[in-house]
């Protein structure tokens, strides 16, 4: 598995990441979202009603992009496959919520569910173009 | 053509955008780059040796994502097709350089060339998730 270099490991603590999936129109769909890094593994908590979840179920190709907001010429690009698992008791959603000081349960409507999305890296680019 | 709403038009003056193309491995490839907006039209100046140019020649699907660095819960996503034109005298590269106070000619090696990439929007998402 490709590793995240030490030079860019701080970006795993960033506030948001950008997730790219491939939509039904075969175009990249990009959204900003919360994420949780545990070691080198990056995971997301996604409401299953979202288009990006539909996209990932149809095509697991997923690229996570973390931009250094203080120096947007520096970023981490993780290209990989998304592995989806149910989160029936919202245990993982609560861990993401703990990172952000938020309650993800309050963001969902009654009856909605969440999945844990693990990005399994295929290729990692750590870029610093200077400023 | 879909329009960029007034609420997000300021992002057209942002420092960098993220471009997503589809790579030969069928995964989204994302890079941060300079861009120039003239009216609602967003254009890029790209060195033709770059992988993203190869990607766009093979598949014109291109999504440009502009994150508000001061509030990364706010962003503009422009999904569209990339239209590539030669820039033999680097007239457009010089316009991008003027925006950034940089000389793009000095960024290329002898013999390299550039294209003007115009993003023709198919769908625009202007998102503000609050903070």
């Amino acid at each position: 598995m490709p590793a995240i270099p030490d030079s860019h490991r701080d970006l795993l603590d960033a506030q948001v990441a950008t997730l790219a999936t491939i939509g039904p129109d075969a175009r990249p769909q990009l959204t900003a979202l919360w994420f949780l890094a545990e070691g080198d593994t990056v995971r997301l908590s996604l409401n299953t009603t979202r288009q990006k979840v539909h996209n990932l179920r149809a095509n697991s190709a997923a690229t996570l992009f973390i931009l250094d907001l203080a120096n947007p010429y520096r970023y981490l690009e993780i290209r990989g496959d998304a592995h989806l698992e149910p989160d029936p008791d919202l245990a993982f959603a609560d861990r993401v919520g703990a990172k952000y000081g938020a309650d993800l349960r309050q963001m969902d409507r009654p009856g909605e569910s969440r999945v844990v999305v693990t990005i399994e890296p295929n290729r990692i680019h750590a870029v610093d173009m200077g400023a």
Side-chain angles (χ1 to χ4, degrees), chain A residues 8-16 35 37 66 99-100:
Chain A
H8 286 65
R9 194 168 295 269
D10 61 297
L11 293 178
L12 296 177
D13 297 320
Q15 200 174 354
V16 300
F35 69 100
I66 310 176
K99 172 182 175 184
Y100 289 97

Side-chain angles (χ1 to χ4, degrees), chain A residues 34 96-103:
Chain A
W34 286 350
V96 176
K99 172 182 175 184
Y100 289 97
D103 184 354

Side-chain angles (χ1 to χ4, degrees), chain A residues 17-35:
Chain A
T18 301
L19 177 71
T21 59
I22 309 276
D25 57 0
R27 297 177 191 281
Q29 171 183 327
L30 274 65
T31 56
L33 38 60
W34 286 350
F35 69 100

Side-chain angles (χ1 to χ4, degrees), chain A residues 63-75:
Chain A
T63 300
L64 199 81
F65 183 87
I66 310 176
L67 192 64
D68 182 348
L69 300 182
N71 172 14
Y73 298 100
R74 181 168 169 269
Y75 60 85

Side-chain angles (χ1 to χ4, degrees), chain A residues 3-118:
Chain A
I4 294 168
D6 288 341
S7 61
H8 286 65
R9 194 168 295 269
D10 61 297
L11 293 178
L12 296 177
D13 297 320
Q15 200 174 354
V16 300
T18 301
L19 177 71
T21 59
I22 309 276
D25 57 0
R27 297 177 191 281
Q29 171 183 327
L30 274 65
T31 56
L33 38 60
W34 286 350
F35 69 100
L36 185 62
E38 295 173 320
D40 266 18
T41 303
V42 176
R43 292 194 179 89
L44 316 167
S45 175
L46 299 184
N47 181 306
T48 58
T49 63
R50 298 295 181 267
Q51 182 60 45
K52 53 193 159 236
V53 175
H54 302 321
N55 293 350
L56 290 174
R57 290 198 199 279
N59 181 345
S60 67
T63 300
L64 199 81
F65 183 87
I66 310 176
L67 192 64
D68 182 348
L69 300 182
N71 172 14
Y73 298 100
R74 181 168 169 269
Y75 60 85
L76 187 63
E77 182 203 23
I78 303 173
R79 288 185 219 165
D81 286 297
H83 180 73
L84 278 62
E85 293 166 288
D87 188 18
D89 56 3
L90 297 178
F92 179 73
D94 287 342
R95 268 150 64 198
V96 176
K99 172 182 175 184
Y100 289 97
D103 184 354
L104 274 63
R105 293 167 186 259
Q106 291 188 1
M107 299 179 180
D108 300 336
R109 298 181 190 198
E112 290 181 345
S113 60
R114 285 184 171 263
V115 282
V116 184
V117 178
T118 304

